[in-house]
Amino acid sequence: MNTFNEVIERYAAQIRTADVIEIADIPTIDLYMDQVTTFMDKGLARYKRNETDKILTKTMINNYTKAKIFPPPVKKKYSRTHLMLLIMIYHLKAILSIKDIGVLFHVALAEPDAEKQAQQIYAGFVALQKSTYAYLANMAENKADDSFYGKDIMLGCEDRELRRILLVLGLVIRANTEKQLAEHALDAYF
């Protein structure tokens, strides 16, 4: 059986080397539903607890559209904005309700330039993921200080609404990452 330190060290190494989906990694062409689910399955595979876990299904995507969490596809095609939102929704849904996710994104997506706003939010999300993963890996290795991770990302943002969205995203990323660490410990011990 693995010791607690071995589980923590293995998880710390995993999150320290975790790839996040950068904006540049998201296709610039619009995708059909099957292409979207394939992209998500490949891009978020590391977050699966078990091989049989589903990252995203067609039904989930349709439900997010019905719940007005993001705009409907155009001619059955999904844009980069859709993909950015789906990636964030994947991370958020473990912690927040679908209604809360809709509230979080509603203001930003109601802007006249929703695509630009979504890219700014997603860029902050990626920066927060990297910052959180580094912080938690350091914490697991007893190298972290007590300062709030991601604070510099939020303080560097002049848009007050965007700063609020990034705060929620940062807290959810941390909660989700700690949840995954708990799952790793459970799987290793039980």
Side-chain angles (χ1 to χ4, degrees):
M1 183 171 278
N2 296 319
T3 67
F4 180 73
N5 285 342
E6 289 170 337
V7 171
I8 296 295
E9 287 171 16
R10 187 170 51 247
Y11 188 68
Q14 182 183 350
I15 62 174
R16 193 172 293 289
T17 60
D19 289 333
V20 297
I21 301 174
E22 302 275 355
I23 290 177
D25 299 331
I26 298 173
T28 56
I29 59 170
D30 294 347
L31 303 177
Y32 287 105
M33 177 76 79
D34 287 341
Q35 295 170 311
V36 170
T37 56
T38 299
F39 173 79
M40 297 293 285
D41 278 343
K42 288 180 182 175
L44 299 173
R46 87 162 203 85
Y47 298 103
K48 286 184 177 184
R49 186 174 181 186
N50 302 303
E51 285 295 317
T52 57
D53 288 350
K54 291 284 185 197
I55 295 292
L56 193 65
T57 66
K58 294 175 186 180
T59 303
M60 289 177 192
I61 294 172
N62 289 330
N63 288 339
Y64 301 150
T65 304
K66 287 177 191 171
K68 298 185 177 168
I69 293 176
F70 65 83
V74 176
K75 297 180 183 176
K76 297 186 180 186
K77 288 187 172 184
Y78 294 85
S79 67
R80 290 180 95 196
T81 300
H82 285 108
L83 294 174
M84 287 183 272
L85 291 170
L86 286 171
I87 292 164
M88 290 187 287
I89 289 167
Y90 174 78
H91 291 281
L92 294 168
K93 71 183 179 138
I95 308 300
L96 299 176
S97 71
I98 295 301
K99 181 181 176 187
D100 288 341
I101 295 169
V103 168
L104 181 65
F105 291 138
H106 177 73
V107 172
L109 297 177
E111 298 276 325
D113 195 358
E115 186 175 332
K116 182 180 177 188
Q117 187 77 348
Q119 285 186 5
Q120 287 179 313
I121 292 168
Y122 191 77
F125 174 77
V126 168
L128 286 167
Q129 276 185 304
K130 291 176 179 179
S131 175
T132 301
Y133 294 167
Y135 173 82
L136 290 173
N138 285 339
M139 188 177 80
E141 297 166 347
N142 292 318
K143 297 177 189 172
D145 63 16
D146 289 334
S147 65
F148 182 68
Y149 58 90
K151 179 173 60 179
D152 55 330
I153 296 164
M154 286 172 249
L155 290 177
C157 179
E158 293 180 23
D159 182 333
R160 187 172 155 196
E161 193 66 37
L162 181 57
R163 208 170 37 244
R164 290 175 176 167
I165 292 170
L166 293 177
L167 173 63
V168 173
L169 289 173
L171 293 170
V172 168
I173 291 166
R174 179 173 179 170
N176 201 17
T177 305
E178 289 177 345
K179 176 182 175 266
Q180 289 174 345
L181 175 57
E183 291 169 350
H184 279 272
L186 279 169
D187 292 345
Y189 296 132
F190 306 102

